[in-house]
Amino acid sequence: MPEQNQLAVDVTISPLLEGAAHGFLGRAGGLSTGIYAGLNVGLGSDDDRNAIIENRQRAKAAVLQDSKLVTLHQVHSADVATVTEPFTIAARPHVDAMVTNQPGLLLGILTADCVPVLFHDGSAQIIGAAHAGWKGAIGGVTDNTIAAMEKLGASRDNISCAIGPCIAQESYEVDAGFQQRFVAEDPANGSYFKTGQPDHFQFDIESYVAGRLAKAGIAKIDKLGLDTYAHEDRYYSYRRSCHRGEAGYGRQISLIGLQA
């Protein structure tokens, strides 16, 4: 693996979010070393705290320099916070999505296989960001984010969404009980599973999240199709670290903000 701190910060943007400062960041360009090598922003990791804080500053600078970075204590819920002002790291709400209409706030979602979703209503100038692991996704975290944006004055007819780097179907093996839970929720969910090893399936969580957004009335959806598990040079992956028996794993960040 290349020395990540020798590289520029890796930022992927979506044309559907034009008008909002945003980016899905990779692991390049950070200070962390070892298994966390690169731009690890995960406060819950055992990485060097000073490196994490500096990495977060580098991430912010790469997307919206003079902003206030806001992140969450993510708990795999479907809950959403409406953010009106910056808060400290210690005061992070225990939720998995947030929305705002306040310029100068940079909403950040941390992931390492789960699905980051960024939302933008360019007409109302309202943004949102969601962490959709499988529990939050089936629980309706994206639906709740849209509803919270509407409370601020957004219209789902005007909301664009981009789905960032996450674990791809080829890399995401689940057991039959997992598949049955989704099918029990909606028989149509069977289309997001491909038969794999005996009593196992490959789950397309990216398409599932896109399907939830479409079902909620979102017409403009960008699936970036970037597999966190397969691309070690670009992304951290919880599942890859588990398969290797590593002691920890890094997290990348997805960011969106309104210019002040």
Side-chain angles (χ1 to χ4, degrees):
M1 185 188 305
E3 284 293 329
Q4 297 290 339
N5 59 3
Q6 301 299 315
L7 304 174
V9 174
D10 177 2
V11 184
T12 301
I13 63 172
S14 168
L16 289 188
L17 301 180
E18 184 179 0
H22 73 281
F24 297 95
L25 278 62
R27 66 186 296 175
L31 289 180
S32 299
T33 59
I35 59 174
Y36 302 110
L39 196 78
N40 173 36
V41 295
L43 294 163
S45 69
D46 292 329
D47 192 9
D48 179 77
R49 180 82 172 188
N50 291 330
I52 295 169
I53 297 302
E54 173 59 23
N55 289 342
R56 289 164 72 95
Q57 290 301 311
R58 291 187 182 192
K60 183 185 80 167
V63 174
L64 190 56
Q65 173 71 60
D66 296 323
S67 60
K68 299 292 185 181
L69 176 61
V70 178
T71 59
L72 305 169
H73 187 117
Q74 298 169 189
V75 292
H76 293 276
S77 71
D79 298 327
V80 184
T82 298
V83 182
T84 57
E85 58 187 10
F87 43 78
T88 66
I89 288 173
R92 291 171 297 158
H94 288 53
V95 299
D96 287 82
M98 53 188 153
V99 301
T100 193
N101 58 3
Q102 297 299 307
L105 295 180
L106 189 61
L107 309 184
I109 291 295
L110 278 59
T111 57
D113 285 339
C114 292
V115 184
V117 188
L118 301 180
F119 303 71
H120 182 222
D121 181 331
S123 299
Q125 285 298 285
I126 295 167
I127 55 174
H131 161 252
W134 73 263
K135 290 181 183 178
I138 197 171
V141 68
T142 51
D143 303 79
N144 294 346
T145 304
I146 295 164
M149 290 177 70
E150 287 182 318
K151 287 183 179 179
L152 289 177
S155 166
R156 65 186 65 203
D157 291 339
N158 295 327
I159 294 174
S160 298
C161 294
I163 301 174
C166 60
I167 193 166
Q169 185 171 29
E170 294 73 19
S171 304
Y172 196 3
E173 184 181 70
V174 299
D175 62 26
F178 182 105
Q179 187 259 6
Q180 289 162 12
R181 176 171 184 162
F182 277 78
V183 172
E185 182 79 13
D186 182 349
N189 287 339
S191 65
Y192 301 114
F193 294 86
K194 182 171 62 178
T195 302
Q197 299 295 325
D199 296 320
H200 285 78
F201 297 85
Q202 302 297 130
F203 180 38
D204 188 353
I205 191 170
E206 181 184 45
S207 292
Y208 174 76
V209 170
R212 288 290 296 242
L213 291 168
K215 191 174 180 180
I218 304 300
K220 293 170 285 188
I221 304 167
D222 189 5
K223 292 165 56 180
L224 296 186
L226 297 168
D227 185 358
T228 49
Y229 185 98
H231 297 292
E232 181 182 4
D233 58 329
R234 292 191 72 183
Y235 302 112
Y236 298 107
S237 167
Y238 166 74
R239 180 167 283 217
R240 186 177 63 234
S241 293
C242 288
H243 285 171
R244 291 181 176 176
E246 294 174 342
Y249 61 98
R251 284 81 157 173
Q252 51 259 342
I253 194 166
S254 301
L255 299 166
I256 189 165
L258 299 169
Q259 295 279 356

